[in-house]
Amino acid sequence: MMLSVFLGIVKGERVALVEMSGRGCFRQAKIIRSVLDNKKNKMFYKKISIFEQSELNDLGEIISKGYSYIIVDFGSNYEVNRETFLLCNVKIIVGNLSWWKVQHYVALLAKCENEKSNSFWTYLANCCTDKGLKYLSGKFRIRIKEIPYVPDPYSLDGEELDFLYKLTSKWQV
């Protein structure tokens, strides 16, 4: 959500946010968006479209609509989404490194370890500890960047904006 707000509102691009994880995560985002649209921020509706998996028949349909960016949440089931993920121009692995969820990130990294292009992927995590970052970075020979804590992804400033500008600086529309 934070990345879609940055690209759509801050950078002024048309963004599609697509859920393919099967977890219904974007249902709440759509509710929040409708509240924001009704109260103050019509720009959000015009720049960012949110698609829940239940509304999605074909990703190609969304691709053909001329969005500058399509952000897809594939969830953690890499085997099911591998082919589509590998077709993406920018590949970002996002996970949680808190002690009760780190096993999911480790499992995903283990599944992707033999992908030939994985050294070009971007690895991000929240709820990080220095010890956890060092361990995973060394074990999988990757660099995991910490996502700054954002209490409200609809309201970005300072550290979050710096992080997102750096993350997107080499992307081309």
Side-chain angles (χ1 to χ4, degrees):
M1 183 56 63
M2 182 173 68
L3 181 58
S4 69
V5 169
F6 174 75
L7 292 171
I9 306 304
V10 177
K11 302 277 278 185
E13 302 290 348
R14 282 190 65 230
V15 179
L17 187 57
V18 180
E19 178 193 13
M20 292 182 66
S21 69
R23 296 178 304 191
C25 298
F26 291 168
R27 188 171 303 117
Q28 183 68 24
K30 287 182 90 170
I31 293 167
I32 292 169
R33 183 185 79 179
S34 69
V35 170
L36 290 175
D37 289 344
N38 290 332
K39 289 199 172 178
K40 60 180 176 181
N41 195 352
K42 295 288 184 193
M43 178 67 81
F44 190 91
Y45 180 76
K46 291 177 183 172
K47 291 293 184 178
I48 302 169
S49 300
I50 301 173
F51 299 92
E52 294 179 70
Q53 189 158 1
S54 60
E55 304 168 324
L56 187 63
N57 295 326
D58 180 12
L59 191 55
E61 194 178 308
I62 294 171
I63 292 170
S64 69
K65 292 188 177 184
Y67 290 98
S68 301
Y69 294 95
I70 300 172
I71 301 168
V72 182
D73 178 355
F74 290 109
S76 58
N77 194 342
Y78 184 69
E79 293 88 1
V80 170
N81 297 303
R82 179 182 178 271
E83 288 181 33
T84 308
F85 175 77
L86 292 176
L87 289 173
C88 295
N89 291 338
V90 178
K91 296 162 191 69
I92 302 174
I93 302 291
V94 179
N96 186 314
L97 295 186
S98 59
W99 66 268
W100 63 87
K101 290 190 173 189
V102 71
Q103 74 274 11
H104 299 295
Y105 204 98
V106 172
L108 182 59
L109 291 176
K111 291 174 188 171
C112 302
E113 194 170 25
N114 294 322
E115 294 289 355
K116 293 179 182 174
S117 65
N118 72 357
S119 62
F120 299 103
W121 301 358
T122 299
Y123 299 89
L124 305 175
N126 58 6
C127 299
C128 302
T129 63
D130 288 339
K131 188 176 180 180
L133 284 173
K134 283 182 185 178
Y135 171 75
L136 288 177
S137 295
K139 179 170 177 48
F140 292 99
R141 295 185 187 102
I142 58 173
R143 181 169 182 247
I144 301 173
K145 298 174 190 170
E146 185 173 0
I147 300 169
Y149 172 72
V150 179
D152 179 3
Y154 299 97
S155 179
L156 304 174
D157 62 17
E159 183 183 4
E160 304 97 47
L161 288 173
D162 289 344
F163 171 80
L164 292 163
Y165 274 112
K166 287 177 188 170
L167 177 67
T168 62
S169 65
K170 296 181 182 169
W171 298 358
Q172 295 179 7
V173 179

